[in-house]
Amino acid sequence: MRKLYYDGKIVTMDGQKICDALGVEDGKIVFAGTAADAGLQAWDEKECLNGRLVLPAFTDTHMHVLHYAMLQEELNLYGTDALEKMIAMGKEKVQSGASYVFGMGWNQEVFENPVFPQKEDMDKISGDIPVIMLRTCGHIAVVNSKALEMIRNMDIAPDVMANVNFEKGWLKESAMRLYMSLIPKRDAAYIQKLFLSAQKKLNRYGIAAVHSDDMASIPGTTWRDVVEAMTKLDQENQMTVHLREQCLVFDANGEFENFVRETKELRAHPGKYFEIGPRKLLQDGSLGAKSACMIHGYADDPDNHGIPTYTDDELYQQIKEADRQQMDVAVHAIGDLAVQKVIDALEKVIGESDRPSHMHGIVHAQFVTEEDMARMAALGIQAYIQPIFINSDLAILDQRVLPEYQSEGYAWKSLQEAGILTSGGSDCPVEFFDPLKNIYTAVARKSLSGGGAFAPNEALSVYDAVRLFTSSAAKAGGHAHDRGMIKENYAADFVVIDKDIFETDPERGERHKDGGWRIYGLPSMTICPKIMGYLEKKIHLILKKDNLNWRGLSFLCYLQKNIK
C-alpha cells in the first residue's frame, strides 16, 4: 500500500532539507518533497499532518537495555532522596519473602543527609539474605554483611578482590559485578522476556534502534545466551527495535577468541533487527563514584586520579586483539586521563593495522582536553555522548572538578566543531532514555529541574542536538545508508511531534514535559496503564485493518488529539 502524509513540517535530517510531504510503501520511504509534486503520483491513502513536526525515529547509541528491564522487576532507587527511604524499601522487599534484595539508582548527592551508604546500613535491611544496592552510575555497590560473607567464600582474582572494601561494604569497578554471583541465575528465555518488555517502552518514546551493552549484565547468563535469545527473537519477527550489541566479553580463558569464532557468521551477515557491534571495553569508572581517571585528580580529593581498568599495555593488547579480529572497539572513558590513554592505545593500533577503515569510538568522552579532541578527529575516533548527564552531574561538578578544568567537560559543541562524529545515548538505566529530554539538555545545558546553564558556549543548536539521535546515530552504527533520515529508500520509521521543538526557547524553560511533546503513535509513559492498554488495542486494530504492521511503519499512528 502506498500512503502519503502531507501538510507537515518534515525535517528530513538530510542536510537542511525540509519538505511538507512524504510517501511510504512496504516499510520504505518512496517520496520526500512537496505536496504539489506528490500530487502527481498515485496514492492508495492520504493523511493530513496538520502542520506538525516530523523527524526520523530516534536511535540511542549507548544504553543497557536488558539491565534496565531487569531493574523494573527489582528495587528502582532512582529519585530516592534519603538513605532511610532506601533502607525502608529494602525492608519491604524482605517482608515480601524475597531471597535477596537487589536495587540500583541511589545517589548520595541527592540525599537529605548526603552520606555514602555502608554495610551497617544494609545490615538494617537484612542479616540473613544478600543485599546489593548499586549506585546510579553502576560503578560502585554497597552490600550487607551476608553478601560480604558469600564473597569471602568465592574464588576471586586478586585484582578484583582488591576492589572489595570489606570494612565499608563497597564493591568498586570490577568487583561491582560480583553481584551477579549473589542473586539467582537467569537464562535465555528470561533475556527474551526482558527485551520484549523494554522494547515496548522504547517504542513509546519514538526509539527505533539502540546500541546496548548487555553481554555481562544478567546473572547466570553469558554472551552466548544473549546471542541465542536475540537471534531467536529476530528470526521469529518479534523485534520492533533494532539492537546493535556493544560486546563486553571478558578475555578470561580465551573467551573473546571463542566469541569471535562463534559469532563469525552473524557478524558477516547481521539479522534484520539484531547485529553484533563493536567490542566494549572499560577504562575507568564514574565521576560520582570518584573512579573516573582524571589528570588533575578531584577537587575534593586531589591525590585521587581514579581507578584505571587496564595498564597502558593491557589496553593496547585488548584493542589490538579486537582489531586483529576485524572488530572495532567502543571504550568507556569518562575522565580526561582515561580518554588520553584510550587515544594513545588506538593511535598505536590504527598505525599498525592493515584494515582499510575503522569505526572505533569512546563511550562518554565526558572530559577531553583540546589537544586530545584534535587527536580524536585526526584518527577518526567517534564519541558516543550523553548530554542528559548534565542533569545529574551539575550538582557535583564543583566538588569533583577544579574550576580551571571544567571547560573540558561536556564540550559537545567543541567535539563537533573539531570534526568528531558524535552520537547521543542515555546510558539507561543511569539516566532515562527519553530522547527529547536528552535533546533539551544538549541545547539548554541545564538540569531538567531548572537553574543556570553550564558553559552555554557549548550549547548545541536544536538541529545538531536532533542529529545526535538520528542521522549521526545511524552513521555511528554503520547505517547511514538506510536509517536516520527521511529520504527515499530509507526505513519508514519516523515520529510526529505536536510541539515544534525548533521553535522553542530553552531559556524560557520550554522543554519537554511528559505528555507535552507527543510522539506520533508512541504515547507518553505518563498515561495510566489502563488507558495505555486500551490505546494499544485500538492501534493494533487499526494497523490490522489497514494491513500494516509494527515493522517499517511501526511508528505511525492515527491518534489525532493530545492526550491530557
Side-chain angles (χ1 to χ4, degrees), residues 150-204:
M150 294 170 69
I151 289 171
R152 286 185 189 277
N153 293 325
M154 295 178 187
D155 183 16
I156 299 172
D159 60 327
V160 175
M161 190 64 84
N163 285 328
V164 179
N165 187 321
F166 285 95
E167 180 183 355
K168 297 184 181 296
W170 296 339
L171 312 180
K172 292 187 176 182
E173 299 307 325
S174 58
M176 184 277 299
R177 293 184 184 276
L178 292 174
Y179 80 85
M180 295 176 67
S181 300
L182 299 175
I183 62 181
K185 298 182 183 301
R186 308 306 207 271
D187 57 18
Y190 180 73
I191 289 172
Q192 291 180 330
K193 172 190 169 186
L194 292 180
F195 186 81
L196 291 174
S197 171
Q199 78 173 358
K200 291 180 182 178
K201 297 171 185 176
L202 291 164
N203 285 166
R204 290 171 188 165

Short mmCIF file of all heavy atoms in Angstrom, two decimals, residues 150-204:
data_model
loop_
_atom_site.label_atom_id
_atom_site.label_comp_id
_atom_site.label_asym_id
_atom_site.label_seq_id
_atom_site.Cartn_x
_atom_site.Cartn_y
_atom_site.Cartn_z
N MET A 150 29.49 -14.17 51.65
CA MET A 150 29.42 -15.01 50.45
C MET A 150 30.60 -14.71 49.52
O MET A 150 31.18 -15.62 48.92
CB MET A 150 28.09 -14.76 49.72
CG MET A 150 26.87 -15.21 50.52
SD MET A 150 25.29 -14.68 49.81
CE MET A 150 25.24 -15.67 48.31
N ILE A 151 30.98 -13.44 49.42
CA ILE A 151 32.10 -13.05 48.57
C ILE A 151 33.41 -13.64 49.09
O ILE A 151 34.25 -14.10 48.31
CB ILE A 151 32.18 -11.51 48.47
CG1 ILE A 151 31.01 -10.98 47.62
CG2 ILE A 151 33.52 -11.06 47.88
CD1 ILE A 151 30.87 -9.48 47.62
N ARG A 152 33.58 -13.66 50.41
CA ARG A 152 34.80 -14.22 51.00
C ARG A 152 34.99 -15.69 50.62
O ARG A 152 36.12 -16.18 50.54
CB ARG A 152 34.76 -14.10 52.53
CG ARG A 152 34.98 -12.71 53.07
CD ARG A 152 35.04 -12.74 54.59
NE ARG A 152 35.03 -11.42 55.18
CZ ARG A 152 36.12 -10.66 55.33
NH1 ARG A 152 37.29 -11.12 54.92
NH2 ARG A 152 36.03 -9.47 55.90
N ASN A 153 33.89 -16.38 50.39
CA ASN A 153 33.96 -17.81 50.08
C ASN A 153 34.07 -18.10 48.59
O ASN A 153 34.06 -19.27 48.18
CB ASN A 153 32.73 -18.52 50.65
CG ASN A 153 32.70 -18.51 52.17
OD1 ASN A 153 33.76 -18.60 52.81
ND2 ASN A 153 31.52 -18.37 52.75
N MET A 154 34.15 -17.06 47.78
CA MET A 154 34.28 -17.24 46.33
C MET A 154 35.74 -17.30 45.93
O MET A 154 36.63 -16.78 46.62
CB MET A 154 33.61 -16.06 45.60
CG MET A 154 32.12 -15.96 45.77
SD MET A 154 31.49 -14.49 44.88
CE MET A 154 29.79 -14.48 45.42
N ASP A 155 35.97 -17.92 44.79
CA ASP A 155 37.31 -17.95 44.20
C ASP A 155 37.42 -16.74 43.27
O ASP A 155 36.97 -16.78 42.12
CB ASP A 155 37.51 -19.25 43.43
CG ASP A 155 38.92 -19.36 42.85
OD1 ASP A 155 39.80 -18.59 43.29
OD2 ASP A 155 39.13 -20.20 41.95
N ILE A 156 38.01 -15.66 43.78
CA ILE A 156 38.02 -14.39 43.06
C ILE A 156 39.45 -13.95 42.78
O ILE A 156 40.33 -14.08 43.64
CB ILE A 156 37.30 -13.29 43.89
CG1 ILE A 156 35.84 -13.69 44.13
CG2 ILE A 156 37.36 -11.94 43.19
CD1 ILE A 156 35.11 -12.78 45.10
N ALA A 157 39.68 -13.44 41.58
CA ALA A 157 41.02 -12.97 41.20
C ALA A 157 41.47 -11.86 42.14
O ALA A 157 40.66 -11.03 42.56
CB ALA A 157 41.01 -12.48 39.76
N PRO A 158 42.77 -11.82 42.49
CA PRO A 158 43.28 -10.81 43.43
C PRO A 158 42.99 -9.38 43.01
O PRO A 158 42.68 -8.53 43.86
CB PRO A 158 44.79 -11.09 43.45
CG PRO A 158 44.92 -12.52 43.07
CD PRO A 158 43.81 -12.79 42.10
N ASP A 159 43.07 -9.07 41.68
CA ASP A 159 42.84 -7.69 41.25
C ASP A 159 41.38 -7.29 41.44
O ASP A 159 41.07 -6.11 41.69
CB ASP A 159 43.27 -7.50 39.80
CG ASP A 159 42.51 -8.40 38.84
OD1 ASP A 159 42.17 -9.52 39.23
OD2 ASP A 159 42.25 -7.98 37.70
N VAL A 160 40.48 -8.26 41.36
CA VAL A 160 39.06 -7.97 41.62
C VAL A 160 38.83 -7.82 43.12
O VAL A 160 38.15 -6.89 43.57
CB VAL A 160 38.16 -9.08 41.04
CG1 VAL A 160 36.70 -8.84 41.41
CG2 VAL A 160 38.32 -9.15 39.52
N MET A 161 39.41 -8.75 43.89
CA MET A 161 39.25 -8.69 45.34
C MET A 161 39.80 -7.38 45.91
O MET A 161 39.30 -6.88 46.93
CB MET A 161 39.95 -9.88 45.99
CG MET A 161 39.65 -10.04 47.48
SD MET A 161 37.91 -10.41 47.81
CE MET A 161 37.89 -12.19 47.57
N ALA A 162 40.77 -6.80 45.26
CA ALA A 162 41.35 -5.53 45.72
C ALA A 162 40.33 -4.40 45.68
O ALA A 162 40.49 -3.39 46.38
CB ALA A 162 42.56 -5.17 44.86
N ASN A 163 39.27 -4.56 44.88
CA ASN A 163 38.23 -3.53 44.77
C ASN A 163 37.04 -3.79 45.69
O ASN A 163 36.01 -3.14 45.56
CB ASN A 163 37.76 -3.41 43.32
CG ASN A 163 38.76 -2.68 42.45
OD1 ASN A 163 39.47 -1.80 42.89
ND2 ASN A 163 38.83 -3.07 41.18
N VAL A 164 37.20 -4.75 46.61
CA VAL A 164 36.18 -5.00 47.63
C VAL A 164 36.62 -4.36 48.93
O VAL A 164 37.70 -4.68 49.46
CB VAL A 164 35.97 -6.52 47.85
CG1 VAL A 164 34.92 -6.74 48.94
CG2 VAL A 164 35.55 -7.19 46.55
N ASN A 165 35.83 -3.45 49.45
CA ASN A 165 36.11 -2.83 50.74
C ASN A 165 35.25 -3.52 51.79
O ASN A 165 34.06 -3.22 51.95
CB ASN A 165 35.80 -1.32 50.68
CG ASN A 165 36.23 -0.59 51.94
OD1 ASN A 165 36.09 -1.10 53.05
ND2 ASN A 165 36.74 0.63 51.77
N PHE A 166 35.84 -4.49 52.49
CA PHE A 166 35.08 -5.28 53.46
C PHE A 166 34.67 -4.46 54.67
O PHE A 166 33.65 -4.75 55.30
CB PHE A 166 35.90 -6.50 53.90
CG PHE A 166 35.96 -7.59 52.87
CD1 PHE A 166 37.03 -7.67 51.98
CD2 PHE A 166 34.94 -8.53 52.77
CE1 PHE A 166 37.08 -8.68 51.02
CE2 PHE A 166 34.99 -9.54 51.82
CZ PHE A 166 36.05 -9.61 50.93
N GLU A 167 35.43 -3.44 55.00
CA GLU A 167 35.10 -2.62 56.16
C GLU A 167 33.84 -1.80 55.92
O GLU A 167 32.96 -1.71 56.79
CB GLU A 167 36.27 -1.67 56.47
CG GLU A 167 36.00 -0.77 57.67
CD GLU A 167 37.12 0.21 57.93
OE1 GLU A 167 38.17 0.13 57.25
OE2 GLU A 167 36.95 1.07 58.82
N LYS A 168 33.72 -1.22 54.73
CA LYS A 168 32.58 -0.34 54.45
C LYS A 168 31.49 -1.03 53.62
O LYS A 168 30.40 -0.48 53.45
CB LYS A 168 33.07 0.92 53.74
CG LYS A 168 34.02 1.76 54.60
CD LYS A 168 34.41 3.05 53.90
CE LYS A 168 35.38 3.88 54.75
NZ LYS A 168 34.74 4.32 56.01
N GLY A 169 31.80 -2.20 53.08
CA GLY A 169 30.80 -2.89 52.29
C GLY A 169 30.67 -2.37 50.87
O GLY A 169 29.58 -2.43 50.28
N TRP A 170 31.75 -1.88 50.29
CA TRP A 170 31.70 -1.31 48.95
C TRP A 170 32.35 -2.24 47.93
O TRP A 170 33.43 -2.80 48.16
CB TRP A 170 32.43 0.04 48.91
CG TRP A 170 31.80 1.10 49.77
CD1 TRP A 170 30.51 1.15 50.23
CD2 TRP A 170 32.44 2.26 50.30
NE1 TRP A 170 30.31 2.27 50.99
CE2 TRP A 170 31.48 2.98 51.06
CE3 TRP A 170 33.74 2.77 50.20
CZ2 TRP A 170 31.78 4.17 51.71
CZ3 TRP A 170 34.04 3.97 50.84
CH2 TRP A 170 33.07 4.66 51.58
N LEU A 171 31.69 -2.39 46.80
CA LEU A 171 32.24 -3.11 45.66
C LEU A 171 32.47 -2.10 44.55
O LEU A 171 31.51 -1.52 44.03
CB LEU A 171 31.28 -4.20 45.17
CG LEU A 171 30.66 -5.14 46.21
CD1 LEU A 171 29.74 -6.14 45.53
CD2 LEU A 171 31.74 -5.85 47.00
N LYS A 172 33.73 -1.87 44.21
CA LYS A 172 34.03 -0.85 43.21
C LYS A 172 34.46 -1.50 41.89
O LYS A 172 35.13 -2.52 41.86
CB LYS A 172 35.16 0.07 43.71
CG LYS A 172 34.77 0.96 44.88
CD LYS A 172 35.90 1.96 45.20
CE LYS A 172 35.49 2.92 46.29
NZ LYS A 172 36.56 3.92 46.58
N GLU A 173 34.09 -0.85 40.80
CA GLU A 173 34.52 -1.20 39.44
C GLU A 173 34.42 -2.71 39.18
O GLU A 173 33.34 -3.25 39.24
CB GLU A 173 35.93 -0.65 39.18
CG GLU A 173 35.98 0.88 39.28
CD GLU A 173 34.96 1.59 38.41
OE1 GLU A 173 34.65 1.11 37.31
OE2 GLU A 173 34.44 2.63 38.84
N SER A 174 35.52 -3.41 38.93
CA SER A 174 35.45 -4.82 38.55
C SER A 174 34.75 -5.66 39.63
O SER A 174 34.09 -6.65 39.32
CB SER A 174 36.86 -5.37 38.29
OG SER A 174 37.68 -5.21 39.45
N ALA A 175 34.87 -5.26 40.89
CA ALA A 175 34.23 -6.01 41.98
C ALA A 175 32.72 -5.81 42.00
O ALA A 175 31.99 -6.65 42.54
CB ALA A 175 34.83 -5.60 43.32
N MET A 176 32.24 -4.72 41.41
CA MET A 176 30.80 -4.46 41.41
C MET A 176 30.02 -5.59 40.76
O MET A 176 28.92 -5.94 41.18
CB MET A 176 30.54 -3.12 40.70
CG MET A 176 29.09 -2.66 40.69
SD MET A 176 28.11 -3.39 39.37
CE MET A 176 28.96 -2.81 37.91
N ARG A 177 30.61 -6.21 39.72
CA ARG A 177 29.90 -7.27 39.00
C ARG A 177 29.80 -8.57 39.80
O ARG A 177 29.16 -9.53 39.34
CB ARG A 177 30.57 -7.53 37.65
CG ARG A 177 30.44 -6.35 36.71
CD ARG A 177 31.01 -6.63 35.33
NE ARG A 177 30.93 -5.45 34.51
CZ ARG A 177 29.85 -5.08 33.81
NH1 ARG A 177 28.78 -5.83 33.84
NH2 ARG A 177 29.85 -3.98 33.09
N LEU A 178 30.37 -8.60 40.99
CA LEU A 178 30.22 -9.79 41.83
C LEU A 178 28.76 -10.01 42.23
O LEU A 178 28.38 -11.11 42.63
CB LEU A 178 31.09 -9.66 43.09
CG LEU A 178 32.61 -9.71 42.86
CD1 LEU A 178 33.34 -9.42 44.16
CD2 LEU A 178 33.03 -11.06 42.29
N TYR A 179 27.94 -8.95 42.10
CA TYR A 179 26.53 -9.10 42.46
C TYR A 179 25.87 -10.21 41.62
O TYR A 179 24.90 -10.85 42.05
CB TYR A 179 25.77 -7.79 42.27
CG TYR A 179 25.36 -7.48 40.85
CD1 TYR A 179 24.18 -8.00 40.31
CD2 TYR A 179 26.13 -6.65 40.04
CE1 TYR A 179 23.79 -7.72 39.01
CE2 TYR A 179 25.76 -6.36 38.74
CZ TYR A 179 24.58 -6.90 38.23
OH TYR A 179 24.21 -6.61 36.95
N MET A 180 26.42 -10.45 40.43
CA MET A 180 25.83 -11.45 39.55
C MET A 180 25.97 -12.87 40.11
O MET A 180 25.26 -13.78 39.68
CB MET A 180 26.46 -11.36 38.16
CG MET A 180 26.16 -10.04 37.46
SD MET A 180 27.00 -9.87 35.87
CE MET A 180 26.18 -11.15 34.91
N SER A 181 26.89 -13.02 41.06
CA SER A 181 27.07 -14.33 41.70
C SER A 181 26.31 -14.42 43.01
O SER A 181 26.34 -15.46 43.68
CB SER A 181 28.56 -14.60 41.94
OG SER A 181 29.28 -14.60 40.74
N LEU A 182 25.64 -13.34 43.39
CA LEU A 182 24.96 -13.30 44.68
C LEU A 182 23.45 -13.47 44.55
O LEU A 182 22.77 -13.66 45.55
CB LEU A 182 25.25 -11.96 45.38
CG LEU A 182 26.72 -11.67 45.70
CD1 LEU A 182 26.87 -10.26 46.27
CD2 LEU A 182 27.27 -12.70 46.69
N ILE A 183 22.93 -13.36 43.34
CA ILE A 183 21.48 -13.49 43.15
C ILE A 183 21.20 -14.60 42.14
O ILE A 183 22.10 -15.04 41.43
CB ILE A 183 20.86 -12.15 42.70
CG1 ILE A 183 21.42 -11.69 41.35
CG2 ILE A 183 21.12 -11.07 43.73
CD1 ILE A 183 20.83 -10.36 40.88
N PRO A 184 19.97 -15.09 42.07
CA PRO A 184 19.66 -16.27 41.25
C PRO A 184 20.05 -16.11 39.78
O PRO A 184 19.96 -15.03 39.21
CB PRO A 184 18.14 -16.41 41.40
CG PRO A 184 17.84 -15.78 42.72
CD PRO A 184 18.79 -14.64 42.84
N LYS A 185 20.45 -17.22 39.19
CA LYS A 185 20.86 -17.22 37.79
C LYS A 185 19.63 -17.18 36.88
O LYS A 185 18.58 -17.72 37.21
CB LYS A 185 21.70 -18.47 37.49
CG LYS A 185 22.99 -18.54 38.30
CD LYS A 185 23.80 -19.78 37.93
CE LYS A 185 25.05 -19.90 38.79
NZ LYS A 185 25.93 -18.73 38.65
N ARG A 186 19.81 -16.55 35.72
CA ARG A 186 18.73 -16.47 34.73
C ARG A 186 19.13 -17.26 33.47
O ARG A 186 20.18 -17.88 33.43
CB ARG A 186 18.46 -15.00 34.37
CG ARG A 186 18.23 -14.05 35.55
CD ARG A 186 17.13 -14.53 36.47
NE ARG A 186 16.46 -13.46 37.18
CZ ARG A 186 16.82 -12.95 38.35
NH1 ARG A 186 17.89 -13.42 38.95
NH2 ARG A 186 16.11 -12.00 38.92
N ASP A 187 18.28 -17.21 32.44
CA ASP A 187 18.58 -17.95 31.22
C ASP A 187 18.16 -17.15 29.99
O ASP A 187 17.70 -16.01 30.10
CB ASP A 187 17.89 -19.32 31.23
CG ASP A 187 16.37 -19.22 31.41
OD1 ASP A 187 15.81 -18.12 31.19
OD2 ASP A 187 15.75 -20.23 31.75
N ALA A 188 18.30 -17.76 28.79
CA ALA A 188 17.99 -17.07 27.54
C ALA A 188 16.52 -16.68 27.45
O ALA A 188 16.18 -15.63 26.90
CB ALA A 188 18.39 -17.94 26.35
N ALA A 189 15.64 -17.53 27.99
CA ALA A 189 14.21 -17.21 27.95
C ALA A 189 13.93 -15.94 28.76
O ALA A 189 13.08 -15.11 28.36
CB ALA A 189 13.41 -18.38 28.51
N TYR A 190 14.61 -15.78 29.87
CA TYR A 190 14.46 -14.57 30.69
C TYR A 190 14.94 -13.34 29.93
O TYR A 190 14.33 -12.27 29.99
CB TYR A 190 15.24 -14.75 31.99
CG TYR A 190 15.16 -13.59 32.95
CD1 TYR A 190 14.00 -13.33 33.68
CD2 TYR A 190 16.25 -12.74 33.14
CE1 TYR A 190 13.93 -12.27 34.57
CE2 TYR A 190 16.20 -11.69 34.02
CZ TYR A 190 15.03 -11.45 34.74
OH TYR A 190 14.98 -10.40 35.62
N ILE A 191 16.04 -13.49 29.19
CA ILE A 191 16.57 -12.39 28.38
C ILE A 191 15.54 -11.96 27.33
O ILE A 191 15.31 -10.77 27.12
CB ILE A 191 17.88 -12.80 27.70
CG1 ILE A 191 18.99 -12.91 28.75
CG2 ILE A 191 18.29 -11.83 26.60
CD1 ILE A 191 20.29 -13.49 28.23
N GLN A 192 14.90 -12.93 26.69
CA GLN A 192 13.86 -12.61 25.71
C GLN A 192 12.72 -11.83 26.35
O GLN A 192 12.23 -10.83 25.80
CB GLN A 192 13.32 -13.88 25.07
CG GLN A 192 14.32 -14.58 24.15
CD GLN A 192 13.74 -15.84 23.54
OE1 GLN A 192 12.88 -16.50 24.13
NE2 GLN A 192 14.21 -16.17 22.35
N LYS A 193 12.30 -12.28 27.51
CA LYS A 193 11.22 -11.60 28.23
C LYS A 193 11.60 -10.16 28.54
O LYS A 193 10.79 -9.23 28.38
CB LYS A 193 10.94 -12.37 29.52
CG LYS A 193 9.97 -11.68 30.47
CD LYS A 193 9.95 -12.40 31.82
CE LYS A 193 9.20 -11.58 32.86
NZ LYS A 193 9.28 -12.18 34.22
N LEU A 194 12.83 -9.95 28.99
CA LEU A 194 13.28 -8.60 29.33
C LEU A 194 13.26 -7.69 28.10
O LEU A 194 12.78 -6.56 28.16
CB LEU A 194 14.70 -8.64 29.91
CG LEU A 194 14.87 -9.28 31.28
CD1 LEU A 194 16.34 -9.23 31.69
CD2 LEU A 194 14.01 -8.60 32.33
N PHE A 195 13.79 -8.19 26.98
CA PHE A 195 13.87 -7.34 25.80
C PHE A 195 12.48 -6.99 25.27
O PHE A 195 12.21 -5.84 24.90
CB PHE A 195 14.68 -8.00 24.69
CG PHE A 195 14.89 -7.09 23.51
CD1 PHE A 195 15.88 -6.12 23.55
CD2 PHE A 195 14.07 -7.16 22.40
CE1 PHE A 195 16.05 -5.25 22.48
CE2 PHE A 195 14.23 -6.30 21.32
CZ PHE A 195 15.23 -5.34 21.37
N LEU A 196 11.58 -7.94 25.24
CA LEU A 196 10.23 -7.68 24.75
C LEU A 196 9.52 -6.64 25.61
O LEU A 196 8.77 -5.80 25.11
CB LEU A 196 9.42 -8.97 24.71
CG LEU A 196 9.87 -9.99 23.65
CD1 LEU A 196 9.10 -11.30 23.80
CD2 LEU A 196 9.71 -9.43 22.24
N SER A 197 9.79 -6.69 26.91
CA SER A 197 9.22 -5.69 27.81
C SER A 197 9.81 -4.31 27.55
O SER A 197 9.09 -3.32 27.46
CB SER A 197 9.48 -6.11 29.27
OG SER A 197 9.13 -5.07 30.16
N ALA A 198 11.13 -4.26 27.39
CA ALA A 198 11.81 -2.98 27.20
C ALA A 198 11.46 -2.35 25.87
O ALA A 198 11.30 -1.12 25.77
CB ALA A 198 13.32 -3.16 27.31
N GLN A 199 11.34 -3.14 24.82
CA GLN A 199 11.15 -2.54 23.50
C GLN A 199 9.79 -1.83 23.40
O GLN A 199 9.65 -0.86 22.66
CB GLN A 199 11.33 -3.56 22.39
CG GLN A 199 10.21 -4.52 22.14
CD GLN A 199 10.45 -5.36 20.88
OE1 GLN A 199 11.44 -5.20 20.18
NE2 GLN A 199 9.53 -6.27 20.60
N LYS A 200 8.80 -2.29 24.14
CA LYS A 200 7.51 -1.59 24.14
C LYS A 200 7.68 -0.17 24.65
O LYS A 200 7.11 0.79 24.10
CB LYS A 200 6.51 -2.34 25.02
CG LYS A 200 6.05 -3.67 24.47
CD LYS A 200 5.07 -4.32 25.43
CE LYS A 200 4.62 -5.69 24.92
NZ LYS A 200 3.68 -6.36 25.87
N LYS A 201 8.49 -0.01 25.71
CA LYS A 201 8.70 1.31 26.28
C LYS A 201 9.57 2.17 25.37
O LYS A 201 9.35 3.37 25.22
CB LYS A 201 9.31 1.17 27.67
CG LYS A 201 8.38 0.45 28.64
CD LYS A 201 9.05 0.11 29.95
CE LYS A 201 8.11 -0.71 30.84
NZ LYS A 201 8.76 -1.14 32.10
N LEU A 202 10.56 1.55 24.75
CA LEU A 202 11.40 2.28 23.80
C LEU A 202 10.56 2.79 22.63
O LEU A 202 10.69 3.95 22.22
CB LEU A 202 12.52 1.38 23.29
CG LEU A 202 13.60 1.01 24.31
CD1 LEU A 202 14.41 -0.17 23.80
CD2 LEU A 202 14.52 2.19 24.59
N ASN A 203 9.68 1.96 22.10
CA ASN A 203 8.82 2.36 21.01
C ASN A 203 7.96 3.56 21.38
O ASN A 203 7.73 4.46 20.57
CB ASN A 203 7.92 1.21 20.57
CG ASN A 203 8.62 0.13 19.77
OD1 ASN A 203 8.10 -0.95 19.59
ND2 ASN A 203 9.81 0.41 19.27
N ARG A 204 7.47 3.57 22.62
CA ARG A 204 6.58 4.65 23.05
C ARG A 204 7.29 6.00 23.08
O ARG A 204 6.64 7.04 23.05
CB ARG A 204 5.99 4.34 24.42
CG ARG A 204 4.99 3.19 24.39
CD ARG A 204 4.59 2.78 25.80
NE ARG A 204 3.79 1.56 25.76
CZ ARG A 204 3.54 0.81 26.82
NH1 ARG A 204 4.04 1.14 27.99
NH2 ARG A 204 2.80 -0.28 26.71
#
